Amino acid sequence: MAKTAIAFSAMPDTPPQTLIDLSKTVEDNGLAGVFMTEAGNDSLAYCLGLGQHTRTIKLGTAITNIYLRHPILLANEAAAVHEFTGGRFILGLGAGHREMNTTLGIDMGEPMVKMREVVKTLRHAIEGNRTGPRVTTKLPIYLAGVSRPMVKLAGEIADGVIFNFFPPARVKQALGELAEGAKIGNRNVADIEPTLFATAFVSDDLEAARRPARKLLSRYGALRFYGNMMANAGFKKEIEGIRAAGRDEAKAIAAVTDAMIDGSLLVGSEERIRERLAELTAPGIGTAIVFVNPVNEDRVTANKRIIRALKS
């Protein structure tokens, strides 16, 4: 059975003290860890802060954008977080969105090449005792594996992979791709943890939960990279509809089907979310990272509700 962690984002309605309190609740309820997203914030700094107020849970990034820091700086930051938290840190890496990186003036080049170079530099620094502080226990590096090539690369060079918006059928395919990458790297695939980032909309009113879920998928589906991934995951018709809608938001939202929502997200009552999470992780997921979006309630209440629902 998959372990369960909770993801948080730096938002106006979740200031640092609120995140500290929620992280303590995660720990008190026996969940596996807390992962921080990165969207204008420093995901490592948040993990460091939360680590000072918790004792046992894992702390990770889902994800840290590889284009925003020099790899040597990233190695030293990760080493510091890992050591200050007693070896509880997982560094989750991703390339971010091309749309966002472009607005920052970043030339992404070839993301696959960049990721390989960054991980190589990190390994050289961290495992070669070239960081300050030196790392005294294993510091796992996970890759956000959304595309097939990146999943294979994770199998070749990483300690774990983070899937997102993957229905069970796509998870099964991706596990095969992970094994292919492990073979290329002459590694044991059992040493690489498949992780699933799952966004949840919690409400006893299923249709109320599906409304914001539909909007979310329409926006991600409009992004080139995520749209291609979703199309390859079995939602080609929906992505075609979203792209055909262009700037017509209502039309794009209408293109998102219930099947796409239920296949990609956790939507509905607490009981339904537990059932869906079990289905999504059944193919072989080691850890599920659940990110909660509130439905007709505040974010803190929604998070507390899902933490209680998924507690060990």
Side-chain angles (χ1 to χ4, degrees):
M1 184 177 177
K3 300 186 292 284
T4 305
I6 302 295
F8 298 130
S9 285
M11 294 184 177
D13 58 357
T14 46
Q17 186 58 54
T18 298
L19 292 178
I20 289 169
D21 294 341
L22 285 172
S23 296
K24 289 179 177 179
T25 302
V26 168
E27 188 167 74
D28 291 343
N29 280 273
L31 274 66
V34 167
F35 283 74
M36 285 301 306
T37 66
E38 188 168 88
N41 62 295
D42 187 334
S43 56
L44 287 97
Y46 272 79
C47 285
L48 177 60
L50 297 178
Q52 302 309 296
H53 298 276
T54 54
R55 305 175 309 281
T56 60
I57 56 172
K58 292 289 185 180
L59 301 154
T61 60
I63 52 78
T64 293
N65 187 335
I66 58 173
Y67 289 96
L68 298 183
R69 302 165 183 82
H70 190 284
I72 295 299
L73 173 62
L74 179 57
N76 282 278
E77 282 188 300
V81 176
H82 193 60
E83 291 303 302
F84 273 113
T85 60
R88 292 185 283 137
F89 183 58
I90 296 171
L91 179 60
L93 302 174
H97 306 305
R98 187 171 294 274
E99 290 83 353
M100 180 188 72
N101 288 339
T102 299
T103 63
L104 297 175
I106 296 172
D107 180 3
M108 292 181 67
E110 294 294 331
M112 292 290 298
V113 173
K114 176 71 172 179
M115 183 64 79
R116 186 182 290 275
E117 291 174 347
V118 168
V119 173
K120 181 178 179 180
T121 301
L122 291 174
R123 295 282 194 207
H124 181 73
I126 294 170
E127 297 174 7
N129 294 321
R130 294 175 174 85
T131 57
R134 290 185 176 183
V135 171
T136 56
T137 58
K138 175 74 174 178
L139 197 170
I141 297 174
Y142 288 23
L143 305 189
V146 178
S147 70
R148 288 181 169 88
M150 195 65 81
V151 173
K152 289 182 182 179
L153 184 63
E156 184 182 348
I157 68 174
D159 302 298
V161 62
I162 303 173
F163 304 136
N164 192 10
F165 297 126
F166 276 23
R170 177 67 189 108
V171 171
K172 291 178 183 178
Q173 292 175 348
L175 292 177
E177 294 155 13
L178 193 68
E180 290 178 37
K183 186 175 181 180
I184 293 171
N186 194 29
R187 307 174 67 213
N188 184 351
V189 71
D191 295 332
I192 308 160
E193 185 185 40
T195 304
L196 178 69
F197 190 99
T199 301
F201 293 86
V202 191
S203 175
D204 291 333
D205 184 338
L206 181 58
E207 289 309 310
R210 280 178 172 158
R211 280 193 289 273
R214 209 178 301 278
K215 188 173 183 178
L216 177 77
L217 289 178
S218 72
R219 289 181 172 177
Y220 270 91
L223 298 173
R224 186 170 67 88
F225 188 76
Y226 271 98
N228 290 342
M229 181 276 291
M230 291 175 181
N232 292 331
F235 305 112
K236 183 178 179 180
K237 183 178 179 181
E238 288 89 341
I239 296 303
E240 288 175 348
I242 291 169
R243 288 173 171 169
R247 295 180 178 277
D248 188 334
E249 183 180 16
K251 189 175 180 181
I253 291 172
V256 178
T257 61
D258 289 349
M260 185 179 184
I261 293 171
D262 291 338
S264 307
L265 306 171
L266 302 172
V267 178
S269 66
E270 295 170 28
E271 181 180 1
R272 191 173 193 271
I273 283 176
R274 283 194 297 268
E275 292 172 354
R276 291 290 299 121
L277 188 60
E279 292 173 10
L280 289 174
T281 59
I285 295 297
T287 298
I289 305 169
V290 180
F291 177 74
V292 182
N293 276 313
V295 180
N296 298 327
E297 63 183 352
D298 64 87
R299 192 174 303 276
V300 172
T301 300
N303 269 293
K304 287 182 177 179
R305 195 141 68 95
I306 204 67
I307 291 168
R308 288 193 300 269
L310 300 177
K311 68 179 180 181
S312 301

